[in-house]
Amino acid sequence: MNSPIEEITLDGGWLCLDFANTVSTRKPAKGEEYLNTWDDFARWVRRLGVLPEKEFEAWEKMPPGDMDEVRALREAIYNFFDYYAKNGKVHPAHLETLNGFLHEVYMYTCIKMTDSGLQRGIFKKTYMEKPLWIIALSAESLLLSARLPRVKACDNCGWLFLDTSKNGARRWCNMSTCGSQTKAKAWYHRKKELESGKGG
Ligand SMILES: [Zn+2]
C-alpha cells in the first residue's frame, strides 16, 4: 500500500501551497501528519518534480536532513497564506518568519536567464536543502505576485489553494472530496430545518 504522501490530492495549484497541504486537514486544527520521515519528504519531492529527475537521483543519495526544519518551513508558509486568505492582509510576524527562511536561501541563489525572462534561481550544485529552498522561493514568487489575493483556504478542510476560476468564487480545495461534502451537509441542514418547520 502506498503511503498517504503518495496519494494525497494536489489541489494547491502552486508548489508551496501543495507543500502546506501535507497534513490530512487544517480544520478545526492540524490533522494527521503526512511528512513524518525524510523518506516521506523525498517521495513528495519526486512526485511534485521539485528537482529534475537526474538531480533528484543524486539528491536522494545524500544524508537525510532535519524534518523539524522541513515542517517549520511548511508551517511558516501555511501561516502566512492562511492568514492572508482569511484577513486579506499580511501578518508582520508571519512575514518575518518567512523572511528568515528566505534570507538563507538568497545566499545560494542567482539571477538566471530562462525562456520566460530573468528569474531568481538556485546555483547548479545539489544541496541537501535545495528542495526546501525551491519551495521557499515558490512562496516568495506567489506572495509578490498579483495572484496573492486568489489564495484561499478550503471551507471544508482548510487546505490552501490558488483560485484560478473566472469569478474567483471557488470555495473548496477539491469539488469531489470537499465540495460535495459541504453541499451534502448544507442540503442535510436545510432538510432538517424544513422538517422542523424553521426553513422556508
Ligand atoms: Zn478541502
Side-chain angles (χ1 to χ4, degrees), residues 109-128:
T109 66
C110 56
I111 304 298
K112 285 180 169 178
M113 284 188 279
T114 72
D115 292 341
S116 46
L118 293 170
Q119 279 179 2
R120 187 189 288 280
I122 295 169
F123 298 147
K124 253 210 156 98
K125 191 170 179 292
T126 299
Y127 300 90
M128 180 264 288

Side-chain angles (χ1 to χ4, degrees), residues 38-49:
W38 189 258
D39 187 51
D40 291 334
F41 180 55
R43 287 179 200 202
W44 188 88
V45 166
R46 166 172 261 163
R47 194 175 162 203
L48 278 283

Side-chain angles (χ1 to χ4, degrees), residues 23-165:
V23 291
S24 63
T25 185
R26 289 289 184 175
K27 264 175 112 171
K30 194 163 74 177
E32 191 192 337
E33 177 60 69
Y34 290 157
L35 288 179
N36 291 300
T37 63
W38 189 258
D39 187 51
D40 291 334
F41 180 55
R43 287 179 200 202
W44 188 88
V45 166
R46 166 172 261 163
R47 194 175 162 203
L48 278 283
V50 179
L51 299 173
E53 191 58 34
K54 260 217 138 101
E55 192 175 358
F56 177 85
E57 283 167 19
W59 175 80
E60 204 184 19
K61 294 187 185 97
M62 300 176 91
D66 183 358
M67 282 309 290
D68 285 341
E69 201 187 331
V70 174
R71 290 186 290 256
L73 173 64
R74 182 188 65 193
E75 294 312 294
I77 289 170
Y78 171 75
N79 289 335
F80 179 92
F81 289 105
D82 179 63
Y83 185 87
Y84 193 94
K86 287 168 183 160
N87 301 282
K89 60 181 181 187
V90 173
H91 192 297
H94 296 159
L95 185 60
E96 199 182 321
T97 308
L98 213 48
N99 265 327
F101 283 98
L102 285 166
H103 185 73
E104 189 200 336
V105 179
Y106 293 153
M107 291 192 292
Y108 300 91
T109 66
C110 56
I111 304 298
K112 285 180 169 178
M113 284 188 279
T114 72
D115 292 341
S116 46
L118 293 170
Q119 279 179 2
R120 187 189 288 280
I122 295 169
F123 298 147
K124 253 210 156 98
K125 191 170 179 292
T126 299
Y127 300 90
M128 180 264 288
E129 297 95 338
K130 194 165 175 177
L132 288 175
W133 298 340
I134 292 171
I135 294 163
L137 289 179
S138 111
E140 181 202 56
S141 68
L142 181 56
L143 70 90
L144 291 180
S145 80
R147 295 181 177 97
L148 178 58
R150 284 298 193 99
V151 176
K152 304 217 177 130
C154 174
D155 269 5
N156 188 51
C157 73
W159 270 15
L160 300 177
F161 63 90
L162 186 64
D163 181 0
T164 53
S165 67

